[in-house]
């Protein structure tokens, strides 16, 4: 058998892959499934480019240069912020309860209670921000 006959035999029949006893054409295995959506632009190459890698790296460096100093600054202030916001929340709730039972009848109880709970909510947001930046 000469080489041309072998080439013609290979050229007529596409390569096949056997998986679990089932034979698949090689093209369907290497290309993967394709979905045709009307009006969409087919993406042929999704590998990252050098420019994309450099851009991603530059954004990462910028994010780290912002994140780390901000995290350290907020971490140093964390005991003071926790004490002040926690104390304001507790004193606000106690003051609201005191004036509700012993104060004038038109005292804005729910407003005072809402402001006090807002201080506690600010403390929760502060701690979530620290966890996000850590």
């Amino acid at each position: 058998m000469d080489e041309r006959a072998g080439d013609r035999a290979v050229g007529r029949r596409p390569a096949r892959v056997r998986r679990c006893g089932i034979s698949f054409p090689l093209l369907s295995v290497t290309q993967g499934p394709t979905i045709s959506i009307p009006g969409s632009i087919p993406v042929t190459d999704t590998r990252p480019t050098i420019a994309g890698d450099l851009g991603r790296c530059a954004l990462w460096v910028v994010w780290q240069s912002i994140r780390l100093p901000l995290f350290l600054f907020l971490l140093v202030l964390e005991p003071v912020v926790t004490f002040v916001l926690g104390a304001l929340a507790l004193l606000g709730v106690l003051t609201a309860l005191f004036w509700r039972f012993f104060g004038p009848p038109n005292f804005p109880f729910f407003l005072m209670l809402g402001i006090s709970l807002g201080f506690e909510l600010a403390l929760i947001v502060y701690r979530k921000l620290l966890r996000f930046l850590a």
Side-chain angles (χ1 to χ4, degrees), residues 47-95:
R47 289 179 289 170
T49 61
I50 294 174
D53 288 342
L54 286 175
R56 191 176 305 113
C57 183
L59 285 176
W60 183 82
V61 168
V62 168
W63 167 245
Q64 295 302 321
S65 65
I66 292 171
R67 180 193 66 89
L68 191 60
L70 183 62
F71 172 69
L72 293 175
F73 177 71
L74 293 177
L75 190 64
V76 168
L77 289 180
E78 196 263 339
V80 175
V81 171
T82 300
F83 177 75
V84 169
L85 290 178
L88 285 174
L90 178 64
L91 289 175
V93 168
L94 293 177
T95 303

Side-chain angles (χ1 to χ4, degrees), residues 101-122:
F101 294 122
F102 302 113
N106 59 357
F107 177 72
F109 172 72
F110 290 110
L111 177 65
M112 186 74 171
L113 195 63
I115 291 172
S116 300
L117 293 178
F119 285 128
E120 190 63 32
L121 180 66

